Amino acid sequence: MKTVLLIAADHIRALLHHRLLVGVMLISVAITAIFSVSLTKIGSVTVRATEAQRKARNADSNAPITAEERQKQETIIQGMQTGFQAFFYETASFGGSLVALFIFSSAVASEIRLGTIRVTLSKPVSRLQYLAGKFLGGIAVMAAYAIVASLALVIFAQANELTMSPTMKFAPLLMFSRQLMLGSLAMLLSLFVHPFVASILAFFAGNGFYGTSNPLYYVLPSYSSFNVFGQMLKGTLLSGRNVLFLELYAADFVVLMLVLAWWRFRTKELV
Amino acid sequence: MDAIRTENLAKSYRSGWTGSKGAPALHGLNLEVKVGEVFGFLGPNGAGKTTSIHLILNLMSPSSGRAELFGRPATDAKVHRRVGYLPESVNLHTYYRGRGLLEFYAALGGMPRARRAGRIDELLRLVKLEDAGDKPVAKYSKGMLQRLGFAQALLHDPDLLILDEPTSNLDPVGRKEFRDILVELKRLGKTIFISSHVLSEVESVCDRVAILQKGELKRVGSLQELSAPKSTRLTLQSLPAALIEAVVAASAEVTFQRTQVVIKCPGESSSREVQQILHEGNVAVAKIETETESLEEIFFSTIQPPPLS
């Protein structure tokens, strides 16, 4: 286990020194912040415009707001709040997916390409320990990303006095699970093809891109159920039971991908 | 027990869409490297030296055959605790500083934390990097990387060192320092497997050598075993005039010096014939010196194709 942790720590260190990765992470955070602030502003303007319309319709602007009007206004505000949160989540999730694809597809493949794996595996490190360490390092970075994204969402919601949607409490966990699924598939594919190709294949392999009528729907990995953005827009409320099943599905998927990756990696030429 | 043992080790590189076409890189290599010996592994480019090393270290899977390190299969990672490896092109993690990288490898090698700092300082001094230990590896020159690579190979005091072209990036001073370290390691009883193009380097330290060509092991043995006697020099106090003609007739070259006579015989038969003449003439031979082939001559006579008839 100590060896696995050493490889994981080394992988984290490598990732933190990777300019492109840090760049993608910063851009992801920046885009999230810029769009969220802009949308909030647009939201405020819309609410003010609705209020102005109401006043214009009523000659007596001091007339109290009716119950029907209040309900209508609350529905608009609630819809917009849900939209902001979902958008915030989706942007962070998309950025995280890119980061996950990069981290996991290059974890082993780049070390083979650079030749650094040869010295590492000349030490008493088995290929299983190496692969496990690389995956664990990736998990740690993605967990940190999910925590930062969650904190940012809470701060964003607090700053804008938004009411947190109940579905949002599961969002970080589902985002994290989706990214690990993507990552494990990308890692497996990167042992067969170039990491960039592996990332593209992993990203588009999700059945979210196909309808349920397509037979591939039942074969390809399902990322769409982990998409809180879609769930919130549809008004679906995720129960704890739903989330548990999704997590079990994700765990199964990741373990299967890792077993296949190990099967491939144990005889892979490392030169 | 052998430090390295290979049995019919073969490797073909797959090519084509199905991977069915194979370019053979190594044909049934049978090699035994004894514990405590310094073994030179020679061959021209593309002979299969690095492929053999990769197979021995389990960085590649053989097409057939097997490799063992200290009696255990090469696939057993635990046996690597006894092995230090310096690859041909030293690619090290550039996001560390020199000392930090050695710390990482020491931890991977299972070295106790308390011993690490002292051992790292010792090795940085040995490879003359004591002033560069805190510099980022990304700023190291090729020669410095080679030295750092050598330090990581020695870090856990391995019983077997596998060195693939260890002096390729070193200047003459660095090569001399490296050779001195090898001599010291040999004195300490370490097994050293060294693949090199620098024949003089191998000749000065190796107990045995193997010569590989186009994936086939051509020759293996000690320098004495491999080299054919080139010429024999017989030193005498004097040579009676009556024998000179007979000696010259045996293809020998006679040189009269101030206090002695030197007879140079070009081959073994000439030497035997001259010694017979001297014996029959009751001439005492003061000294017999046999000049053998150098490693370079052995190497070229092995890899060069036979002349066309």
Side-chain angles (χ1 to χ4, degrees):
Chain A
M1 191 58 194
K2 194 182 160 199
T3 305
V4 174
L5 292 176
L6 282 167
I7 299 287
D10 171 64
H11 187 40
I12 294 168
R13 193 186 181 100
L15 293 171
L16 294 178
H17 279 78
H18 207 296
R19 284 178 195 167
L20 180 62
L21 177 74
V22 173
V24 169
M25 280 179 153
L26 289 176
I27 288 169
S28 169
V29 170
I31 289 175
T32 308
I34 290 165
F35 276 82
S36 302
V37 170
S38 310
L39 278 176
T40 310
K41 283 194 172 157
I42 292 167
S44 311
V45 169
T46 313
V47 170
R48 277 203 300 274
T50 314
E51 184 68 15
Q53 268 182 351
R54 186 186 73 78
K55 283 180 178 173
R57 277 202 305 273
N58 296 333
D60 181 4
S61 61
N62 291 328
I65 188 166
T66 64
E68 191 190 349
E69 280 173 332
R70 183 175 294 280
Q71 198 182 3
K72 204 171 161 186
Q73 203 175 47
E74 275 174 5
T75 309
I76 292 171
I77 291 169
Q78 204 174 16
M80 284 198 315
Q81 285 186 344
T82 305
F84 296 150
Q85 289 169 43
F87 184 82
F88 187 102
Y89 163 82
E90 187 56 19
T91 316
S93 179
F94 182 73
S97 297
L98 293 184
V99 170
L101 288 170
F102 180 86
I103 286 177
F104 289 99
S105 69
S106 65
V108 179
S110 69
E111 289 236 23
I112 295 174
R113 187 172 48 83
L114 294 171
T116 47
I117 195 169
R118 278 177 256 169
V119 171
T120 307
L121 287 185
S122 73
K123 307 293 174 199
V125 178
S126 72
R127 291 194 181 199
L128 181 61
Q129 287 171 321
Y130 183 83
L131 193 71
K134 286 285 175 186
F135 195 72
L136 191 62
I139 289 180
V141 174
M142 292 322 300
Y145 184 89
I147 290 167
V148 170
S150 309
L151 285 175
L153 177 63
V154 170
I155 292 166
F156 168 71
Q158 293 283 324
N160 292 288
E161 295 173 350
L162 301 179
T163 312
M164 289 284 278
S165 159
T167 306
M168 282 310 290
K169 67 182 175 192
F170 297 118
L173 181 63
L174 292 174
M175 176 176 81
F176 177 63
S177 307
R178 180 172 119 170
Q179 285 158 1
L180 290 193
M181 286 169 69
L182 263 175
S184 58
L185 179 59
M187 191 184 224
L188 167 66
L189 294 172
S190 73
L191 298 174
F192 293 91
V193 294
H194 189 278
F196 184 69
V197 178
S199 298
I200 290 175
L201 289 176
F203 189 77
F204 287 103
N207 66 17
F209 293 98
Y210 310 93
T212 45
S213 57
N214 190 320
L216 284 173
Y217 185 88
Y218 300 98
V219 181
L220 294 169
S222 171
Y223 307 140
S224 57
S225 314
F226 293 82
N227 184 355
V228 176
F229 179 69
Q231 312 265 19
M232 284 170 76
L233 290 185
K234 277 189 271 178
T236 317
L237 280 179
L238 281 171
S239 69
R241 194 180 165 80
N242 293 143
V243 173
L244 177 68
F245 278 113
L246 282 173
E247 288 305 307
L248 285 174
Y249 171 79
D252 272 359
F253 182 86
V254 169
V255 169
L256 177 66
M257 291 304 110
L258 286 182
V259 169
L260 291 173
W262 157 234
W263 169 78
R264 169 67 180 145
F265 185 58
R266 49 187 262 283
T267 54
K268 184 162 175 64
E269 315 278 56
L270 303 180
V271 290
Chain B
M1 191 204 303
D2 296 321
I4 300 175
R5 183 184 166 83
T6 66
E7 268 176 41
N8 294 317
L9 197 63
K11 180 70 186 172
S12 291
Y13 289 108
R14 289 180 185 175
S15 59
W17 276 97
T18 57
S20 55
K21 291 179 197 166
L26 194 65
H27 308 273
L29 179 70
N30 289 301
L31 209 62
E32 286 165 9
V33 178
K34 308 273 177 239
V35 169
E37 79 175 335
V38 181
F39 193 93
F41 202 46
L42 311 172
N45 288 334
K49 303 187 299 292
T50 300
T51 299
S52 306
I53 290 175
H54 289 160
L55 291 169
I56 288 167
L57 286 167
N58 190 36
L59 296 173
M60 276 182 179
S61 304
S63 306
S64 62
R66 52 182 281 150
E68 284 179 1
L69 292 166
F70 296 103
R72 299 185 66 93
T75 47
D76 181 357
K78 283 181 194 148
V79 78
H80 287 188
R81 208 175 283 276
R82 299 180 67 183
V83 180
Y85 168 54
L86 174 65
E88 184 180 7
S89 42
V90 188
N91 297 309
L92 301 169
H93 297 306
T94 50
Y95 43 86
Y96 282 98
R97 291 173 190 275
R99 196 180 294 276
L101 184 69
L102 292 180
E103 177 81 27
F104 168 60
Y105 287 134
L108 274 187
M111 186 184 287
R113 190 182 289 268
R115 273 189 54 208
R116 284 182 214 158
R119 179 69 178 154
I120 289 168
D121 284 341
E122 186 188 329
L123 282 169
L124 286 173
R125 266 197 307 276
L126 182 75
V127 299
K128 304 278 191 294
L129 283 178
E130 61 267 52
D131 296 331
D134 295 319
K135 257 174 89 170
V137 176
K139 293 192 174 164
Y140 276 35
S141 68
K142 276 187 177 177
M144 288 165 84
L145 281 174
Q146 192 94 17
R147 287 163 185 269
L148 191 64
F150 192 42
Q152 68 74 27
L154 293 172
L155 198 56
H156 52 295
D157 195 21
D159 296 321
L160 167 65
L161 263 177
I162 297 180
L163 310 171
D164 195 357
E165 299 295 347
T167 56
S168 54
N169 292 312
L170 297 182
D171 57 21
V173 177
R175 286 181 185 204
K176 164 81 173 64
E177 287 165 358
F178 170 79
R179 206 163 40 240
D180 292 345
I181 295 172
L182 281 194
V183 170
E184 177 60 12
L185 291 170
K186 183 180 176 177
R187 196 186 63 77
L188 292 171
K190 302 289 180 191
T191 311
I192 304 171
F193 184 85
I194 175 168
S195 157
S196 177
H197 282 122
V198 187
L199 299 175
S200 58
E201 185 177 277
V202 174
E203 191 169 26
S204 61
V205 290
C206 288
D207 300 314
R208 287 200 305 147
V209 296
I211 301 175
L212 208 64
Q213 189 186 21
K214 292 181 181 168
E216 275 182 47
L217 184 64
K218 293 288 184 188
R219 298 179 81 180
V220 61
S222 65
L223 287 178
Q224 288 79 12
E225 286 165 355
L226 297 182
S227 62
K230 232 171 52 173
S231 64
T232 309
R233 279 164 59 99
L234 307 171
T235 309
L236 325 169
Q237 294 294 331
S238 62
L239 180 64
L243 296 180
I244 294 174
E245 203 175 323
V247 169
V248 172
S251 310
E253 188 184 299
V254 181
T255 313
F256 290 92
Q257 295 178 348
R258 220 178 334 162
T259 57
Q260 59 188 21
V261 181
V262 175
I263 303 172
K264 194 174 175 188
C265 310
E268 219 171 324
S269 63
S270 163
S271 167
R272 266 199 308 272
E273 203 178 327
V274 169
Q275 284 184 57
Q276 183 65 31
I277 294 164
L278 296 175
H279 178 71
E280 285 167 4
N282 287 322
V283 178
V285 178
K287 198 161 69 174
I288 302 178
E289 291 167 294
T290 307
E291 196 188 336
T292 53
E293 285 180 301
S294 67
L295 180 59
E296 189 172 274
E297 286 164 323
I298 298 169
F299 180 78
F300 283 111
S301 67
T302 305
I303 64 160
Q304 267 166 5
L308 295 171
S309 53

